[in-house]
Amino acid sequence: MAIKLKRIYDEPSRTDGVRILVDRLWPRGLTKEDAAIDEWIRDIAPSGNLRKWFGHKVERWPEFQRRYKKELKQAQNKQILQKLARISGIATVTLLYAAKDSDRNNAVVLAAVLKSSRK
């Protein structure tokens, strides 16, 4: 099945499948009803220190990816990754994020890790 990425503020779609918010903080100005999420897995998000360090600065993107992938390899995250891999193996999963930059955010890294684990 597919792993999709979508900004949480975008309109939900029937083709989204299982909608999972992967940010540590709840998106500003959005109610839980409007978010239409199936699950919020905040523990898979980058640590607070890494998130603050990155600050969505383009020049820090390569290092952010490296550090976040390292965090994802930690034991507590491995179980969550396995859960996400199982879900994405049987259904379409849309990883939801709040960042304005659709090319450089934690969901992009997470999706790449999940896709590479399938191989």
Side-chain angles (χ1 to χ4, degrees), residues 9-118:
Y9 299 103
D10 294 341
E11 191 71 30
S13 167
R14 288 185 301 199
T15 62
D16 288 346
V18 180
R19 292 171 49 89
I20 302 173
L21 178 61
V22 293
D23 284 348
R24 189 164 301 279
L25 304 174
W26 186 260
R28 290 182 183 169
L30 195 64
T31 66
K32 291 190 178 184
E33 294 78 31
D34 290 339
I37 64 170
D38 294 299
E39 193 165 357
W40 179 16
I41 306 178
R42 66 183 73 145
D43 291 336
I44 199 67
S47 65
N49 288 338
L50 179 57
R51 183 182 55 80
K52 290 174 187 173
W53 172 84
F54 176 44
H56 297 284
K57 294 182 178 164
V58 175
E59 65 274 9
R60 293 184 179 172
W61 174 242
E63 181 63 16
F64 171 79
Q65 292 178 85
R66 188 190 70 71
R67 291 183 187 187
Y68 184 38
K69 286 177 184 176
K70 185 176 178 183
E71 285 187 359
L72 289 172
K73 290 180 182 177
Q74 295 173 355
Q76 69 271 18
N77 289 327
K78 284 186 178 182
Q79 291 177 347
I80 298 170
L81 286 173
Q82 289 171 347
K83 175 183 177 179
L84 288 171
R86 274 194 309 277
I87 295 169
S88 68
I90 58 174
T92 297
V93 171
T94 299
L95 301 177
L96 302 165
Y97 60 91
K100 291 179 183 176
D101 189 338
S102 61
D103 296 323
R104 289 175 287 275
N105 63 68
N106 63 298
V108 170
V109 178
L110 181 56
V113 168
L114 288 169
K115 289 175 183 175
S116 71
S117 72
R118 287 182 176 176

